[in-house]
């Protein structure tokens, strides 16, 4: 499993065996069952998670108790309530397993130590943050400028495997449409 983490990091920066050994000491491995929460709203956010296997959903619940799916995270992705993680404040979102999931966890303290110990890792984290920012910006633009059909087609094009793994009701919530509208779009 650690080779998956190394391959992921080395898509951005090269690491020697000694450097990776140092990096790996900062991560912990955890398994979660389907429907188990990694983060619940109101809790301290202890970790940023790198998904080895499985599928997660990040959900924001508004003051009317309506749930808004912010994102999904599958293999080779990072996920957390990043605002709460980086500001060390309470979670405003929940992170739940849609499948049995295995992750490597990186605490905020270990994130800081790793950035300070290896300049390469600071570059890695900057690149990952930039990619995350770009993805979030693309999603916002899509939500405010695209109709339901266009958003569905974008989802199919960008993440075809999600369609097979995520229940239609959750895909509809992610796209901001009703289940019935999604059924019409997908037929």
């Amino acid at each position: 499993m650690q080779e998956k983490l190394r391959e992921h990091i080395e898509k951005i920066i090269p690491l020697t065996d000694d450097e990776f050994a140092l990096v790996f000491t900062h991560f912990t491995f955890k398994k979660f069952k389907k429907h188990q929460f990694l983060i619940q709203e109101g809790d301290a956010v202890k970790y940023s998670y790198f998904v080895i296997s499985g599928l997660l959903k990040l959900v924001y619940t508004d003051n009317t108790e309506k749930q808004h799916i912010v994102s999904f995270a599958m293999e080779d992705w990072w996920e957390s309530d990043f605002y709460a993680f980086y500001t060390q404040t309470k979670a405003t979102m929940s992170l739940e397993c849609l499948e049995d999931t295995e992750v490597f966890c990186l605490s905020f303290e270990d994130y800081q130590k790793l950035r300070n110990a290896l300049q390469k890792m600071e570059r890695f984290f900057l690149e990952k943050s930039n990619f995350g920012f770009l993805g979030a910006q693309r999603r916002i633009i899509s939500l405010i400028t695209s109709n339901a059909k266009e958003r569905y087609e974008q989802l199919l094009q960008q993440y075809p495997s999600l369609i097979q793994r995520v229940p239609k009701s959750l895909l509809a919530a992610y796209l901001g449409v009703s289940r019935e509208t999604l059924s019409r779009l997908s037929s």
Side-chain angles (χ1 to χ4, degrees):
M1 277 181 280
Q2 70 185 49
E3 63 276 355
K4 289 184 180 183
L5 179 63
R6 184 170 186 168
E7 287 170 12
H8 176 76
I9 293 169
E10 288 188 332
K11 288 177 187 173
I12 296 176
I13 57 162
L15 291 172
T16 66
D17 289 344
D18 288 343
E19 288 171 333
F20 181 71
L22 172 67
V23 167
F24 194 67
T25 64
H26 292 80
F27 287 85
T28 55
F29 172 77
K30 290 191 180 185
K31 288 183 176 187
F32 295 91
K33 294 286 185 193
K34 183 177 182 176
H35 302 301
Q36 193 172 354
F37 285 89
L38 287 73
I39 299 170
Q40 289 191 290
E41 184 181 341
D43 289 350
V45 177
K46 297 178 184 175
Y47 300 106
S48 176
Y49 300 94
F50 174 70
V51 181
I52 301 164
S53 67
L55 183 64
L56 304 170
K57 71 173 179 174
L58 185 64
V59 177
Y60 176 78
T61 305
D62 67 22
N63 55 8
T64 67
E65 299 301 312
K66 182 177 179 187
Q67 292 193 339
H68 304 272
I69 297 179
V70 176
S71 63
F72 296 106
M74 56 187 157
E75 294 81 6
D76 208 36
W77 291 13
W78 290 83
E79 193 59 272
S80 189
D81 178 336
F82 287 112
Y83 182 86
F85 178 76
Y86 289 118
T87 61
Q88 291 294 277
T89 55
K90 301 288 184 193
T92 59
M93 295 183 271
S94 298
L95 185 60
E96 181 183 0
C97 296
L98 295 176
E99 300 172 353
D100 289 351
T101 301
E102 297 177 332
V103 295
F104 281 122
C105 310
L106 181 64
S107 71
F108 185 74
E109 182 181 341
D110 280 325
Y111 161 77
Q112 296 284 44
K113 286 180 185 175
L114 200 46
R115 286 179 48 226
N116 291 328
L118 273 176
Q119 187 176 4
K120 287 179 176 184
M121 287 305 293
E122 188 162 27
R123 179 169 167 250
F124 170 77
F125 289 125
L126 176 61
E127 291 287 323
K128 294 308 294 180
S129 294
N130 285 343
F131 289 135
F133 174 75
L134 295 173
Q137 199 172 55
R138 192 172 50 235
R139 177 156 156 70
I140 291 167
I141 297 296
S142 175
L143 285 169
I144 60 177
T145 64
S146 302
N147 63 38
K149 183 171 179 46
E150 291 167 336
R151 290 194 305 275
Y152 179 69
E153 288 170 355
Q154 289 167 359
L155 181 67
L156 281 174
Q157 183 180 23
Q158 289 179 318
Y159 310 113
S161 65
L162 267 182
I163 305 301
Q164 307 304 316
R165 295 172 71 180
V166 176
K168 287 196 186 273
S169 58
L170 297 181
L171 287 175
Y174 177 76
L175 292 169
V177 299
S178 69
R179 172 82 169 76
E180 294 76 20
T181 298
L182 181 61
S183 291
R184 281 193 304 276
L185 294 172
S186 61
S187 58

